[in-house]
Amino acid sequence: MKSFDVAIIGSGPAGASAAFELSKSGISTVIIEKETLPRYKTCGGGFVFRGRKNMPFDISSVVEKEFHSIDTYFSKKQPHLTTTRDTPIITMVMRDAFDNLIVEKAKENGVTLLQNHKVLDITFGAISTLHTTEGDIEAKFIIAADGALSPIAKIAGWEETRLIIPALEYEVEVPAADFERLSKNVRFDIDAIPYGYGWCFPKKNHLSIGVAVMIKTNSKINLKEYYATYLKTLGITEIVSEAAHGFVIPVAPRTDNFVRKNVLLVGDAAGLADPLVAEGISNAILSGVLAAQAIIEAKLDSEKVAELYTQKLESTILPEIRTGAKLSHYFYNQKTFRDLVLKKYGQKVGEAMTDLFMGERTYPADYKTTISRKIKEAIF
Ligand SMILES: Cc1cc2nc3c(=O)[nH]c(=O)nc-3n(C[C@H](O)[C@H](O)[C@H](O)COP(=O)(O)OP(=O)(O)OC[C@H]3O[C@@H](n4cnc5c(N)ncnc54)[C@H](O)[C@@H]3O)c2cc1C
């Protein structure tokens, strides 16, 4: 039976980045992936600078487009916001090529890739056995980088405590004149759908257009209908080709820990996407790196690995996304309040969000005081 120190399940940005980090340490590592690479992943492919600036190698070979400005539109009552930076705020990638690049870099450093291997079950022990469609594999540690559905978290006994939101993504080819007009800017349309937003992300030859509901709601929201209306907002009347993909994004972290039975949850499996915009690539990468570092620094000692990984998450990603989740509630659920604040501070809010995308600031820890002060200032 093949045996490794670490088995990483999933070759997305979380798993591939964990593998790359481990590959530098000499710890034997395997990536187990159910698909054949490169594989399509439903995603807008907007990679914010916060993530890009920490990439340990050049990614220009997989860059579709780079944008130094972002346009954010609200309902007609609010003026639209534009923010600009010297370095690209958002880099557009197609996830098949992007994820595969990270896997290839890890392979160059000695990581084993087993593709077309779906993990079906695990027998846990000091050394665990992973039962895949292509046979058994042994490993001491398991990094569950298996995405939003995370079958591995279920197998390891986690209950569902993440907030999971629905999203629709279309890869759309439009006539040349429309592409020319729409491919110059990245745009977010906050009121394109209730409790969420729409986006138009230009790629080399097509547009990635989508809609997502960002918070928990009892209202029935037909994403397809809002997508159709959003196309009209974008002025698209003719479609050359269109591929529809629906999926989910976890936008609130698990509340019952991230490690058990030598299994470490990373990326979407842990619920680490940004709750305000559902940007998940950069935290997937960061959490993969943190999990790998915990294993390396703890020298494969189980208790220490669990303690270190939890500490690392608590001092980086978790406080951020917990605050982000509360702000997301104000932003999408308290529209009157949001519009009041935007009326007075629209550009400031846009700049602050852009600084977050750039990795130059964090969400304000004292958001409650700031919000109540801003409400008073906006009303009186
Ligand atoms: C519509 C939509 C639009 C989005 N747009 C953006 C965006 O523009 N920017 C952004 O930053 N984020 C975006 N996100 C979020 C982002 O896609 C995720 O947060 C990110 O992909 C998480 O990475 P990951 O490595 O954790 O998981 P994934 O990228 O989902 O990778 C999981 C991998 O695990 C494999 N796997 C699953 N089960 C098994 C198994 N049993 N055995 C073996 N392999 C398995 C899968 O095949 C897959 O390759 C979007 C998400 C959606 C749904």
Side-chain angles (χ1 to χ4, degrees):
M1 198 190 309
K2 290 180 190 132
S3 190
F4 298 86
D5 293 324
V6 183
I8 299 170
I9 303 162
S11 66
S17 300
F20 183 78
E21 189 69 18
L22 283 163
S23 71
K24 297 187 285 185
S25 70
I27 290 175
S28 66
T29 304
V30 62
I31 301 176
I32 306 174
E33 167 60 53
K34 68 179 165 69
E35 306 289 336
T36 311
L37 301 188
R39 57 93 183 90
Y40 180 83
K41 159 75 176 88
T42 304
C43 184
F47 186 31
V48 293
F49 195 69
R50 166 172 65 187
R52 184 169 179 184
K53 71 179 178 186
N54 293 325
M55 287 307 285
F57 43 77
D58 179 30
I59 63 158
S60 50
S61 63
V62 296
V63 170
E64 296 264 320
K65 276 183 186 292
E66 293 176 336
F67 290 93
H68 292 244
S69 290
I70 301 180
D71 287 301
T72 309
Y73 293 82
F74 300 91
S75 65
K76 289 199 178 73
K77 283 185 252 159
Q78 301 283 348
H80 103 264
L81 299 172
T82 303
T83 53
T84 305
R85 295 292 182 273
D86 292 336
T87 34
I89 305 169
I90 301 194
T91 299
M92 292 300 164
V93 296
M94 286 307 287
R95 288 287 306 279
D96 48 1
F98 176 75
D99 296 7
N100 198 44
L101 173 73
I102 312 177
V103 172
E104 285 300 319
K105 293 285 177 190
K107 275 168 63 187
E108 278 169 24
N109 283 1
V111 168
T112 303
L113 167 69
L114 296 176
Q115 46 188 334
N116 295 311
H117 282 57
K118 183 175 182 178
V119 178
L120 302 170
D121 204 358
I122 300 171
T123 306
F124 293 101
I127 303 289
S128 295
T129 306
L130 294 95
H131 309 291
T132 83
T133 43
E134 306 301 316
D136 290 353
I137 295 151
E138 278 183 349
K140 176 160 188 190
F141 288 96
I142 295 167
I143 297 185
D146 53 339
L149 304 180
S150 192
I152 303 308
K154 284 187 202 120
I155 292 169
W158 267 280
E159 301 284 325
E160 188 51 81
T161 56
R162 299 165 300 170
L163 169 62
I164 297 185
I165 56 149
L168 267 189
E169 164 79 23
Y170 287 72
E171 309 292 357
V172 188
E173 273 183 82
V174 292
D178 281 342
F179 187 68
E180 172 66 17
R181 176 173 61 81
L182 290 164
S183 61
K184 292 196 177 76
N185 305 90
V186 166
R187 64 182 279 174
F188 293 91
D189 286 78
I190 303 300
D191 292 313
I193 183 164
Y195 310 109
Y197 72 95
W199 64 87
C200 178
F201 287 0
K203 302 291 166 64
K204 254 183 205 149
N205 301 309
H206 77 278
L207 304 168
S208 293
I209 303 176
V211 287
V213 172
M214 290 300 302
I215 56 173
K216 200 173 172 183
T217 165
N218 292 327
S219 318
K220 277 218 160 122
I221 296 170
N222 186 327
L223 274 84
K224 270 192 180 163
E225 274 175 21
Y226 283 100
Y227 165 74
T229 310
Y230 184 41
L231 288 185
K232 287 185 195 144
T233 307
L234 295 173
I236 297 174
T237 49
E238 194 191 331
I239 302 263
V240 176
S241 76
E242 188 183 51
H245 306 272
F247 201 50
V248 291
I249 319 173
V251 288
R254 291 187 187 269
T255 56
D256 52 352
N257 291 324
F258 302 91
V259 189
R260 64 174 66 165
K261 298 180 185 167
N262 282 353
V263 178
L264 289 76
L265 301 181
V266 296
D268 276 1
L272 303 179
D274 180 290
L276 203 57
V277 289
E279 179 272 308
I281 302 174
S282 57
N283 279 345
I285 292 173
L286 178 58
S287 59
V289 170
L290 295 177
Q293 287 174 347
I295 293 172
I296 297 165
E297 287 166 28
K299 299 191 172 65
L300 293 107
D301 176 292
S302 300
E303 258 179 51
K304 280 192 197 146
V305 167
E307 203 180 301
L308 260 178
Y309 181 49
T310 309
Q311 271 173 19
K312 285 174 188 290
L313 286 178
E314 283 293 350
S315 61
T316 51
I317 301 173
L318 291 173
E320 270 293 283
I321 57 177
R322 285 184 191 129
T323 307
K326 287 174 184 138
L327 289 173
S328 176
H329 165 78
Y330 282 107
F331 195 77
Y332 295 107
N333 214 10
Q334 309 281 333
K335 225 175 136 193
T336 314
F337 151 75
R338 185 202 74 190
D339 287 348
L340 260 175
V341 172
L342 285 175
K343 204 166 185 179
K344 193 150 182 182
Y345 303 102
Q347 193 61 34
K348 267 194 181 169
V349 173
E351 298 295 340
M353 264 324 284
T354 306
D355 287 344
L356 269 160
F357 284 175
M358 298 299 289
E360 285 167 5
R361 67 168 293 161
T362 53
Y363 284 116
D366 62 339
Y367 73 95
K368 273 191 179 154
T369 329
T370 313
I371 283 174
S372 56
R373 191 178 38 162
K374 300 268 185 243
I375 294 176
K376 280 184 199 137
E377 284 172 13
I379 295 174
F380 303 112

